[in-house]
């Protein structure tokens, strides 16, 4: 997997089966994306094949959006890959490191969503999962990135904010991406502002014969309910219940409104500061001009007296 220099795109290899499956469902995918601007599904921008002299002779890859592209400075502190299944869905302690993507059994927190958006998000998760089930897709997951200020990143964050020039950008049509590509919210447990980045990834895995065989073999030792490779409609229902019933919770309205006011105040203060700078420069120029005129006038008076 490769990430573009501007951090906006991801180049990911794909199998021939995934490439063919994408082509077969592309018209349905395009119509769905267009009809649902708030969808969490990965945006696919292209699929390519490259011939070479190496093993296999052909490499296939797709270009998708980078969910964690914060545009400016919000890098995720916590990352989770969530499916709703349990079998093998954890990261061993000895393999955990900074910025490791954790899984279903690792997450020990709620996802606090603003009251004005919680129903919209839950409804969108249901729609997206049902669409994938109709296309016989399973084994996808919700990738979540969470940013918040810490003692370690606070100085660096302020420094990057100061260096970043404000540019005019089009307002995103996705309501979950209105704050630098993410959603700003408030965590009442930690009493802090957080920024969430969402996206449903790995949406090209069809429930074909290979996955059906995998499900059968694993079911001999593990309960079917805990497997990742299960029938698409069951996978979608489990995915929805896990996210909507167990993880997603409403952030307190009062705290959320305070956070919004705080953000607005920060932006306003920045604007006021810029206006003060401009006004100060104008006054300085005006003062210099007045002093210059006075000096010229004094010089003329002295010349007259000498005459």
């Amino acid at each position: 997997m490769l990430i573009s220099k501007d951090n906006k795109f991801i180049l990911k290899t794909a199998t021939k089966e995934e490439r063919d499956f994408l082509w077969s469902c592309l018209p349905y995918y395009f119509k769905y994306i267009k009809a649902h601007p708030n969808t969490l599904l990965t945006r696919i921008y292209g699929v390519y094949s490259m011939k070479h002299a190496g093993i296999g002779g052909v490499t296939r890859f797709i270009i998708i959006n980078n969910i964690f592209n914060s545009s400016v400075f919000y890098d995720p502190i916590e990352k989770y890959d969530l499916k709703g299944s349990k079998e093998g869905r954890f990261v061993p302690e000895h393999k955990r490191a900074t910025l490791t993507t954790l899984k279903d059994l690792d997450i020990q927190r709620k996802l606090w969503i603003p009251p004005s958006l919680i129903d919209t998000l839950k409804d969108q998760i249901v729609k997206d999962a049902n669409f994938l089930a109709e296309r016989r897709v399973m084994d996808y997951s919700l990738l979540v990135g969470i940013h918040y200020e810490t003692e370690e990143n606070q100085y660096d964050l302020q420094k990057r904010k100061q260096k970043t020039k404000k540019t005019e950008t089009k307002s995103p049509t996705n309501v979950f991406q209105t704050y630098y590509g993410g959603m700003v919210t408030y965590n009442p447990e930690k009493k802090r502002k957080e920024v969430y980045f969402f996206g449903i990834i790995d949406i090209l895995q069809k429930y074909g014969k290979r996955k059906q065989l995998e499900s059968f073999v694993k079911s001999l030792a593990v309960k079917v309910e805990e497997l990742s490779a299960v029938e698409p409609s069951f996978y979608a229902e489990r995915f929805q219940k896990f996210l909507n019933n167990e993880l997603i919770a409403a952030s307190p309205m009062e705290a959320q409104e305070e956070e919004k006011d705080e953000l607005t105040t920060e932006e306003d203060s920045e604007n006021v500061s810029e206006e003060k700078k401009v006004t100060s420069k104008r006054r300085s120029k005006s003062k210099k001009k007045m002093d210059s005129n006075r000096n010229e006038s004094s010089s003329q008076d002295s010349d007259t007296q000498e005459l």
Side-chain angles (χ1 to χ4, degrees), residues 64-99:
I64 59 178
N65 66 307
N66 182 8
I67 294 167
F68 294 154
N69 170 36
S70 60
S71 301
V72 185
F73 36 68
Y74 286 116
D75 297 325
I77 305 298
E78 299 177 25
K79 293 190 290 185
Y80 299 96
D81 184 285
L82 308 170
K83 293 185 177 183
S85 57
K86 295 181 179 180
E87 193 266 330
R89 300 297 295 163
F90 67 94
V91 178
E93 287 291 339
H94 68 278
K95 289 186 177 181
R96 296 189 184 190
T98 306
L99 297 181

Side-chain angles (χ1 to χ4, degrees), residues 68-293:
F68 294 154
N69 170 36
S70 60
S71 301
V72 185
F73 36 68
Y74 286 116
D75 297 325
I77 305 298
E78 299 177 25
K79 293 190 290 185
Y80 299 96
D81 184 285
L82 308 170
K83 293 185 177 183
S85 57
K86 295 181 179 180
E87 193 266 330
R89 300 297 295 163
F90 67 94
V91 178
E93 287 291 339
H94 68 278
K95 289 186 177 181
R96 296 189 184 190
T98 306
L99 297 181
T100 293
T101 301
L102 302 179
K103 299 181 181 180
D104 304 65
L105 297 178
D106 300 317
I107 189 167
Q108 302 293 324
R109 55 161 296 156
K110 294 288 187 181
L111 299 178
W112 299 98
I113 308 301
S116 60
L117 291 177
I118 188 168
D119 289 338
T120 305
L121 177 61
K122 288 184 174 183
D123 182 57
Q124 193 60 58
I125 288 173
V126 172
K127 289 178 179 177
D128 289 348
N130 288 343
F131 168 75
L132 294 174
E134 291 174 1
R135 307 261 50 91
R136 303 293 292 167
V137 177
M138 39 71 67
D139 215 16
Y140 49 87
S141 58
L142 179 71
L143 186 62
V144 182
I146 303 175
H147 172 89
Y148 47 83
E149 285 192 12
T150 64
E151 292 182 0
E152 291 76 17
N153 71 7
Q154 189 174 16
Y155 175 76
D156 183 57
L157 185 62
Q158 292 175 352
K159 195 174 181 181
R160 290 165 72 178
K161 280 183 178 181
Q162 291 173 357
K163 288 184 177 180
T164 303
K165 295 180 180 180
K166 290 186 177 181
T167 56
E168 293 184 4
T169 56
K170 294 181 179 179
S171 299
T173 56
N174 192 314
V175 296
F176 310 123
Q177 299 174 354
T178 57
Y179 190 76
Y180 295 108
M183 174 203 308
V184 65
T185 186
Y186 181 77
N187 184 334
E189 294 180 335
K190 299 294 184 179
K191 294 181 172 54
R192 68 190 178 200
K193 181 186 77 174
E194 295 183 337
V195 183
Y196 293 171
F197 301 92
F198 292 117
I200 295 179
I201 62 172
D202 298 332
I203 59 174
L204 297 179
Q205 186 59 66
K206 183 180 180 181
Y207 189 62
K209 293 181 179 180
R210 184 172 61 84
K211 282 295 180 180
Q212 291 176 27
L213 179 60
E214 177 186 336
S215 178
F216 172 74
V217 173
K218 287 187 175 182
S219 66
L220 299 176
V222 182
K223 292 181 180 179
V224 176
E225 295 79 9
E226 299 180 0
L227 298 175
S228 293
V230 293
E231 199 277 329
S233 59
F234 176 78
Y235 189 100
E237 183 180 357
R238 184 182 62 187
F239 180 76
Q240 297 165 22
K241 288 182 178 179
F242 176 64
L243 295 174
N244 290 346
N245 299 344
E246 297 184 35
L247 289 185
I248 293 176
S251 177
M253 175 65 77
E254 296 79 8
Q256 177 61 16
E257 288 179 347
E258 289 175 4
E259 289 299 317
K260 284 184 177 179
D261 292 338
E262 180 183 334
L263 291 172
T264 304
T265 303
E266 289 178 0
E267 292 176 357
D268 291 342
S269 64
E270 289 180 3
N271 293 334
V272 170
S273 178
E274 290 296 325
E275 289 177 2
K276 285 183 178 180
K277 288 181 181 179
V278 172
T279 303
S280 178
K281 287 181 180 179
R282 287 176 178 172
R283 287 178 178 176
S284 178
K285 288 182 179 179
S286 177
K287 187 177 179 181
K288 287 181 180 179
K289 188 173 183 181
M290 290 177 64
D291 291 342
S292 177
N293 291 337

